[in-house]
Structures are given as C-alpha cells and as structure tokens.
Amino acid sequence: MTATGTASPTRSRLGMDPQVMRTTWTVLVGGMAVLFDTTIVAVAIRTLATDLNVGLATIQWVSTAYLLALGVAVPLVGWAQRVLGAKRLWMIALTIFLVGSILSSLSWSAASLIAFRAVQGLGGGMLMPLMMTMVMQAARGQNLGRMAVVIGLPVALGPIVGPVIGGLILQHLHWSWLFWVNVPFCVAGLILASRYLAPDGPVQRVRLDVVGLLLLAPGLVGILYGLSNVSGDGGFSRADVWAPAGAGIVLAAGFCLWALPRGRRALVDIGLLRHRPLATSSVLMFLSGFGLFGAMLLLPLYFQTVRGHDVLTAALLLAAQGVGALASRVALGRVIDKVGPRWITLTSFVVVLLATIPFALAGAATSESWLIVVLFFRGLGLGSAMIPLMAHAFEGMAHDDVPDASIVSRLFQQLGGSFGTAILATVLASATSGAHSLDDAATGFDQAFWVAVAFTAVAVGVSFLLPATRPAATLPE
C-alpha cells in the first residue's frame, strides 16, 4: 500500500505490501521503547527507594503514576487521531515519551521522578493503541495474523531483554541510566516516522465528547489506582482499594450508558462490542490478564523469595520464558493467516495452564533446571495466545472503526492485567503472611499459582467461542 492508500504492485518477500511493512517496522521501533521501559523499571523499585531515601509505599508511585497517566491517555487516542492524523499524533506521543524519559533520568527526588513518570505514561498510553491502529488500518484486512506477530515482538522481547538490562544497569551504573535506554528507540522512531509514515491530511475540527471524557478517564484512574493498592495489608478490604475502584466502576458504567446510544460521537464507541470478533477477543484478553500476566507478578518474586536469587539472576532465569515466547512467534508467522483462531488460542492457553501447574506443585527443593524447561514451554503458550486474538479482533472491522476497536481491546487487556495482578497479589499476601520458613513461603506461592491456573482454565473454555476456521474478511475501503 502506498502513502495514499492504493495497492502497491510490488510485494515484499513475505507477500505483504512494502509500505505496510515500512509502517509496521517504523511504529515497532517506537513501541519497543515503551515495552522495554516497563520491564526495566519494574526491577528497580527497591533500588530507587534506597537511593531516593523513601519507603516502598512512596516509591511504588513511580509505577502507579505511570499507570494512572496511561488510563487518562488511552481514551483520548481515537479523538486525537481524528483531529491530528495518525502520523502527527504518533510523533507527538513519541516526543512526550522521550521528554518524560529524559526528565526521569534527571530526577532529583522521589516526587520529581513520580511526576516525570506520569509524563511518560501520557506518551506511552497513546503509543500502544495507536501502534495497533496504524498497522491494522494500513493492512486493510490482509495478513492480519502476520501483522499481529510482528507488532507483538516487543511483548516477547521485553521480558527477555528488559529485566536483564535493568539488572546490569543497577549492578554497574546509576539508576538514572534506566531511562536513557529509551532515548535511542525514541529518536530512531521519530526519524523513521518522519520518513516512512504516510502524510496526514489537514487538521480536522472534531468535537470532543467532554461528558464521556469526564466519566471514562476518572473511572479508569479510580479502578487502576484502587487495584494498585491491593498488595498492601488488608487487600481488597482497604478503603484506598474499594473506594476508588468502586467509584471508578460506577463512572465507567455511567460512561457505557452515555456512550452506547451515541455510537461514533462518543469518546469511545463501545457499541463496537456488538462485533463478535472484537467482543470475544476482548473477553479473552481480559482473562489473559489474570492467567497470563498476573502470574508475571509471581514468578520473579518466587525466584527471589523462595530460591534466594538476586534481581539479575532471577531475570536471567525468567529469560527462558521470553525465549519461548519469541520462538512461538517465529513459528506462528507461517500459519497464523491460514487457520482459525480457535485452535491456536485454545492450544496456547492449555500449554500455559499445563506449564503453570509445576509451579503450583513446586517446593523449595524442586529442581531449578526442571522449572527453567517449564518456563520455556510457558513462554511458548504466552507468545502464541495473544497473537490470534489481536488479529481476530479486527476481522471485518470497518477502516474508521479500527481506532476505537484498538482502544477497546487495549482497555480490556490493561484492566485484566490490573485485576489479575491485584487478585494474585492478595492471594499471595494472605498465603505467605504467617510464613516462617522457605517451605511455608513455597506453600503460599503454590496457592497463588493455583489461582492463576484456575483463571487460565476459564480462558480455555472461552476459547471455544472463537471460530474454528479462518474467515475471508477484509477491511472495507
């Protein structure tokens, strides 16, 4: 596809339009900055608390501020794209993320770092749904599976590279270097975007759904903030959990009532959930947050708490899971657009389920070599579960509906991850509260892993709602 959207007579060696591939790889470079940043910073919380002389409760806001800013930014992406165009918005968001990264590296206190992380969150919150939108609109219904495989590369590489880079930096350099890792990706992404992304038309005057924004943005912030406090003493019974989360749910429900009759005039067209592929994929993305990404909280803590490893060693051990995820993407690229999503997704969730059970049965003396092998297979399932869902969600979707569909699927995935992490954190805290030995701690982790297994089993059941064959759907011109 050329810059103007017409079909190109030439094809890449993968059988895809060269302009589509240029768009895909261009946004992929910028997307890597966001994915790497998330996994790199996650390993540095304790170091940041020590160096900035604050408690863990305060320094957790480094992650919480990012998450809340993301909740504000994501709902605005569809409207902002209609006003500015995809290329302009992409470059603005990437610049915001770049500025936030540089400012974070120059932070002089916990308060300044938290504020600058919020700036990063605004940029990152726009980049992730916009990345999917731009690629799927460029593809126009062709090779959606292979597009999703490529776009999913940062998700596979992040857990491999991010924690290792973070551990090496913390071991040999000052923590400020954690944020400079983003800079080359952002600069390269801006250069590539200016050259290869299709030019936008004139800036449009599109009315902002102010009522929808005032309902959805604080609703998401309330839910995400409440869930981020679950890991503290008291779990879901804490007032700073149920009060903001409850208020957020009420506001989100109010947005749904406001938005449904307004369709495309709403901030986000949630009526698109009547489109069965998007609805089914979104539900499974939500469940994947429990069974797949929620368990990512448990694994590094398991290796550090029960196995006694430091951050870098735990990251190197977990790299086996990332290698499996990367390997699954290589294999999927050849078959993803030839078979229906049901069997790939179903098989993937079953593999994740079976590869989580050994951790639920593990004790302090369980062979570490065996667990590394299990992690590789768990990565295979992780890497292949989301790809068919990402592609299937956009099948048969009208070109102008893709931005809102990207936002919907992203919100379901984000909320699922937050709920999953919160529930597993609560189970883990309750199960390990009275632990006096490594065996007691291992038993507590076993209970939390069984909960992850249960949610993954639910995802296996929902997978049967996906079509067994590949529909020949394309995006309308």
Side-chain angles (χ1 to χ4, degrees), residues 172-187:
H172 300 289
L173 298 169
H174 189 260
W175 59 262
S176 60
W177 285 95
L178 293 169
F179 302 101
W180 284 102
V181 174
N182 305 328
V183 173
F185 290 103
C186 292
V187 172

Side-chain angles (χ1 to χ4, degrees), residues 232-250:
D233 294 337
F236 281 93
S237 65
R238 294 165 56 102
D240 61 353
V241 173
W242 61 261
I249 291 172
V250 170

Side-chain angles (χ1 to χ4, degrees), residues 48 51-52 59 62 99-120 174-177 179-180:
L48 291 171
D51 285 4
L52 295 174
I59 206 63
V62 169
V99 171
S101 298
I102 294 174
L103 291 175
S104 294
S105 72
L106 301 176
S107 299
W108 57 90
S109 65
S112 62
L113 178 58
I114 291 167
F116 297 146
R117 282 285 288 166
V119 175
Q120 276 190 300
H174 189 260
W175 59 262
S176 60
W177 285 95
F179 302 101
W180 284 102

